[in-house]
Amino acid sequence: MAELIPHPFGALVTRMFTELETEKSIFDYPQKKFFIGQSGRDYSVKFHGKNSSSPLGPASGPQTQMAQNLVLSWLGGSRIMELKTVQILDELEIPRPCIDMQTVGYNVEWSQELRVEQSLHEYVKGAMLIEILRASGKLDLAENFGDVLYDMSVGYDLKGIQSDKVRRFIEGMLDASEVVEHYRKQIPEQYRQFRNLDFQTKLSDTLTLSTFHGCPPEEIEKIIDYLFREHGLNCIIKLNPTLLGKDQVRHLLNGIMGYADVHVPDEAFENDATWEQAQGFVERLGLTAKTLGLGFGVKFNNTLIVENHRNFFPDTEKVMYLSGTPLHVLGINLVKQFREIFGDQFPISFSAGIDKTNFADTVALGLTPITVCSDLLKVGGYSRSSAYYKELNSRMDNLGVSDIESYILKAYGNAEQALENIGLGVGNVSGPDVPLADACRKTLANGGELRKVAGSEAPVANETFEKWLSETKLLNTKTYVDEVTTNARYGIEQNSKPPRKVGTMLELFDCLTCDKCIPVCPNDANFALKIPPGETEILEFETNNSGWAVTGRKTLKLEKKYQIANFADFCNECGNCDIFCPEDGGPFVLKPRFFGSLESFQSFTNHDGFYIEDEGTERCAPKVFARFDGKEYRVSETGNTVNYSGPDFDIQFSKNDLENTISGEAKSSVSFLNYEIMQMMRSAISATGSGSYVSAT
Ligand code: SF4
Ligand code: SF4
């Protein structure tokens, strides 16, 4: 179902705790893979002057679209949430599938698929769920790992951003009190202790601007100026990789990395801001921000616009947006180019091909936040980010450091050169800086938190320390850009193999049960359905002058220990689970689909699936509604009597004695296959209880 439907807040709270208790997971993310910090380690960074427990975050994209996605990102160790871009046009028709992760990563999706107001509500709900989880004490959250920031993103032109709709969104993020109160009341009675939490009401006062590919530079400048003056926001501008220029982009992408068939159209360069233009508006906006006392920085990069040369997206899409691995090389080259002009004057947010190997490198460059999208869409999903910390921890262990600044200073061995560059080199230092320079060197050699050491040695220490840190970031950038540009892991050779397919077609039941489709879904739409293996007899009846008679007996055999299903309200048919499923056909298309309400079941008549009433009564089991091959069926029970109706029949029977009690009307023979499937679905959902989206109320 291409339309996303937000889930009731109370149901999400219940589901979160029930699932943690019974399944040791939250929203299908296994507890053993959570990354909730590490004792004795401080990954904290500053973002627009505020503390975040880590520079890592999900990029504005599929991982920040819905409330549960924010919780999943948080469980993976993300602490700066770049919320999905909202814009005035909030009833978009996006082609499906919209994400192609077969190789490096292409997409044709862009802003929020929810309405603008729904987006605000989802962001508030996500932040409240995280706060509740934190306060619950159910997770062994490390000290220094509790601070989380939300960064809004709006697009795409000044007129839209000035519209009432987007204005209300920004104001709602600046003061979410009303929305918070609305959801506070929805916290279920069972969890009433969380109703008194001091939920964050100023959800965000920072914004990353997303502009259209081809947005005129004057427009970009006007938008940021407006956001500064009208809303008092700290801003980041997301810049395009085309800034590198036609020759450099093609040299890196088509030449060095070898993506010969990926063509960036000339117009992409002609329409986007040039380097000179970007340099101009960064300088001017930097001054304005300073005058207004606001934060300002840039983000590298937006995706890269390329011609649609593959046959994945429809032909109507003439262009698509490249993300993932090759973008990393372009992004790092942009960081270098930018820092050659501006030094460490402006903070840089970074999002381009981040993965477990290079996250630690981008931390060493002092980039904040470092956001990810493509890698978290691969097998393992959100839990992949725990491997980022594993690599960072290993490097920090080797260097004997426990905080990010000390890590930056020691990561590539550039700290001594940086001291030299800022005039604290051996032999050229004098006066009050002598003990500071000596202390820095001593701590470099012996370990410890370098800022603390520097700060304890001289009155100018903090300023000097900042200079030392900045200089090291610049040197680290040079070190890394040289290494990364020619590193074969970013080239086509190592990024052209699609995920393995085994050549079999998925069916409603049973598959390889590899579970890949569950974590690769950014919305947690796919899930395991507890239908035990077994055989069920399927009867077929016909009615004639003497009544009903059995005309066929077959067997439905389920072999796997559980089944895979899809929750339609969370599935936007992005197609990502189909990419990683070893079988063909797409789990979101062929596996049992559950709707979250009768309304959504009845609205999407071109989708087969099930709706199971929330709860029955003592005498009535929950009704089951189903659509098979576009035809509707219904099962209801009162006491021992079952009513089963379909497109051309309406029959009743006693639950304990179908063969001898069946009655009613039918225009042709009636198979009980669909009835048995509907019963299985009801039993499986009832067994999961409030640990399932389908049944949580
Ligand atoms: S279930 Fe599959 S198609 Fe649907 S949103 Fe998730 S990954 Fe995309
Ligand atoms: S539907 Fe595909 S990805 Fe999901 S468990 Fe079955 S075989 Fe694996």
Side-chain angles (χ1 to χ4, degrees), residues 566-671:
N566 173 272
F567 184 52
D569 293 16
F570 286 173
C571 178
N572 61 355
E573 300 184 356
C574 71
N576 198 47
C577 54
D578 185 20
I579 301 282
F580 292 98
C581 174
E583 300 198 50
D584 295 322
F588 72 103
V589 180
L590 297 174
K591 289 296 172 190
R593 177 187 290 115
F594 288 88
F595 294 88
S597 67
L598 187 56
E599 191 190 352
S600 73
F601 173 80
Q602 288 171 338
S603 302
F604 299 92
T605 48
N606 56 346
H607 285 65
D608 284 357
F610 305 89
Y611 169 65
I612 297 169
E613 269 188 343
D614 288 341
E615 50 192 46
T617 62
E618 205 178 320
R619 278 185 46 76
C620 303
K623 285 194 190 101
V624 185
F625 300 79
R627 206 159 27 239
F628 295 93
D629 298 325
K631 298 191 181 97
E632 292 198 7
Y633 297 77
R634 183 189 293 203
V635 172
S636 58
E637 288 178 21
T638 308
N640 208 25
T641 305
V642 181
N643 190 289
Y644 175 40
S645 60
D648 55 359
F649 64 90
D650 188 352
I651 53 181
Q652 300 79 40
F653 54 91
S654 165
K655 204 157 67 173
N656 304 331
D657 191 7
L658 164 62
E659 285 190 46
N660 294 312
T661 58
I662 183 166
S663 64
E665 293 176 3
K667 290 190 180 141
S668 58
S669 63
V670 177
S671 164

Side-chain angles (χ1 to χ4, degrees), residues 549-574:
V550 176
T551 54
R553 289 179 193 271
K554 291 184 185 156
T555 303
L556 173 64
K557 189 172 173 191
L558 268 56
E559 296 184 348
K560 299 296 178 175
K561 61 178 191 240
Y562 55 89
Q563 299 296 324
I564 298 295
N566 173 272
F567 184 52
D569 293 16
F570 286 173
C571 178
N572 61 355
E573 300 184 356
C574 71

